[in-house]
């Protein structure tokens, strides 16, 4: 990603950011063009899979710069870039952080339904909340939502776990995991939202950026 001749925004080699961070930022920006720019007819990501060939000292995978661009290896193992792409190709993007203030019993944030023909009320928003450790610390509950295709609506998630609410009251940031299930039950998206107490201005500023 640092030396890409395709992207028109160059990354400073001294920035200290990893290739994965650069990849995510560029893909989010370019995928946003496909969604928001009326003059954009479409696009494609290439290549999907790393090339492979035989008769080389390392087995059937050819080690060459132009053979290793894919987000999936030649033996079909997903790279870290694959999971970043899956998040960005999701029809719904969730925020990384939301602010919480004393007295709140829920968290609220806008989402855009990027499905072409599915209302979010046909989907399932499965939320998981916890405070503590171990497999029994996290519980789940489905939350109702609705948003027509192409529209932006506010999602409201009640803080239904008493332990999560108690942690926030003590000033401890907690996580709400959101799993989006489409009408067929396929899960196109899982996102962890960090709920931060007492940081309303900082979180809103970060979301704006």
């Amino acid at each position: 990603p640092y030396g890409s001749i395709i992207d028109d925004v160059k990354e400073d080699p001294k920035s200290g950011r990893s290739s994965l961070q650069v990849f995510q930022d560029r893909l989010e920006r370019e995928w946003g063009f496909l969604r928001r720019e009326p003059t954009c007819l479409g696009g494609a990501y290439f290549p999907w899979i790393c090339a492979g060939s035989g008769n080389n000292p390392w087995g059937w995978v050819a080690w060459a710069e132009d053979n290793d661009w894919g987000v999936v290896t030649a033996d079909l193992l997903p790279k870290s870039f694959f999971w970043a792409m899956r998040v960005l190709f999701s029809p719904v993007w969730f925020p990384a952080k939301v602010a919480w203030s004393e007295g709140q019993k829920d968290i609220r944030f806008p989402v855009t339904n990027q499905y072409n023909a599915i209302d979010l009320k046909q989907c399932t928003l499965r939320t998981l909340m916890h405070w503590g450790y171990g497999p029994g610390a996290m519980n789940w509950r489905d939350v109702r939502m609705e948003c027509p295709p192409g529209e932006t609506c506010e999602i409201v998630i009640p803080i239904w776990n008493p332990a999560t609410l108690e942690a926030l009251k003590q000033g401890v940031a907690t996580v709400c995991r959101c799993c989006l299930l489409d009408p067929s039950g396929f899960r196109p998206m899982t996102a962890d939202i960090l709920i931060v107490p007492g940081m309303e201005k900082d979180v809103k500023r970060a979301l704006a950026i």
Side-chain angles (χ1 to χ4, degrees), residues 74-91:
D75 50 352
L76 306 183
L77 296 176
K79 300 181 182 180
S80 56
F81 301 98
F82 170 87
W83 302 110
M85 178 179 284
R86 178 176 175 175
V87 169
L88 294 175
F89 281 9
S90 168

Side-chain angles (χ1 to χ4, degrees), residues 103-129:
Q104 278 187 250
K105 297 299 176 68
D106 54 43
I107 56 174
R108 299 167 180 257
F109 51 87
V111 300
T112 299
N113 179 6
Q114 300 180 91
Y115 278 115
N116 293 324
I118 298 177
D119 192 310
L120 291 186
K121 67 182 178 182
Q122 301 172 251
C123 301
T124 300
L125 178 58
R126 183 151 296 162
T127 62
L128 294 91
M129 296 183 184

Side-chain angles (χ1 to χ4, degrees), residues 25-185:
D25 289 348
R26 287 188 170 176
L27 192 61
E28 182 175 354
R29 182 174 63 253
E30 293 167 359
W31 187 245
F33 290 155
L34 297 181
R35 289 291 184 180
R36 297 187 296 267
E37 175 54 55
T39 63
C40 181
L41 297 179
Y45 177 81
F46 67 95
W48 172 253
I49 188 171
C50 296
S53 63
N55 300 320
N56 65 75
W58 301 280
W60 70 290
V61 177
W63 294 95
E65 192 273 338
D66 59 337
N67 290 340
D68 201 36
W69 287 356
V71 295
V72 178
T73 66
D75 50 352
L76 306 183
L77 296 176
K79 300 181 182 180
S80 56
F81 301 98
F82 170 87
W83 302 110
M85 178 179 284
R86 178 176 175 175
V87 169
L88 294 175
F89 281 9
S90 168
V92 178
W93 291 355
F94 292 89
K97 296 180 181 179
V98 295
W100 180 88
S101 57
E102 187 68 33
Q104 278 187 250
K105 297 299 176 68
D106 54 43
I107 56 174
R108 299 167 180 257
F109 51 87
V111 300
T112 299
N113 179 6
Q114 300 180 91
Y115 278 115
N116 293 324
I118 298 177
D119 192 310
L120 291 186
K121 67 182 178 182
Q122 301 172 251
C123 301
T124 300
L125 178 58
R126 183 151 296 162
T127 62
L128 294 91
M129 296 183 184
H130 78 295
W131 183 37
Y133 301 93
M138 180 168 280
N139 302 309
W140 64 272
R141 181 174 298 181
D142 291 345
V143 174
R144 292 181 58 85
M145 62 177 177
E146 60 179 76
C147 187
E151 300 292 328
T152 298
C153 303
E154 185 179 59
I155 299 295
V156 180
I157 300 179
I159 303 177
W160 47 263
N161 190 335
T164 298
L165 188 59
E166 181 61 28
L168 293 170
K169 289 179 180 178
Q170 295 181 22
V172 179
T174 62
V175 171
C176 175
R177 176 165 294 174
C178 295
C179 301
L180 179 69
L181 285 74
D182 70 11
S184 68

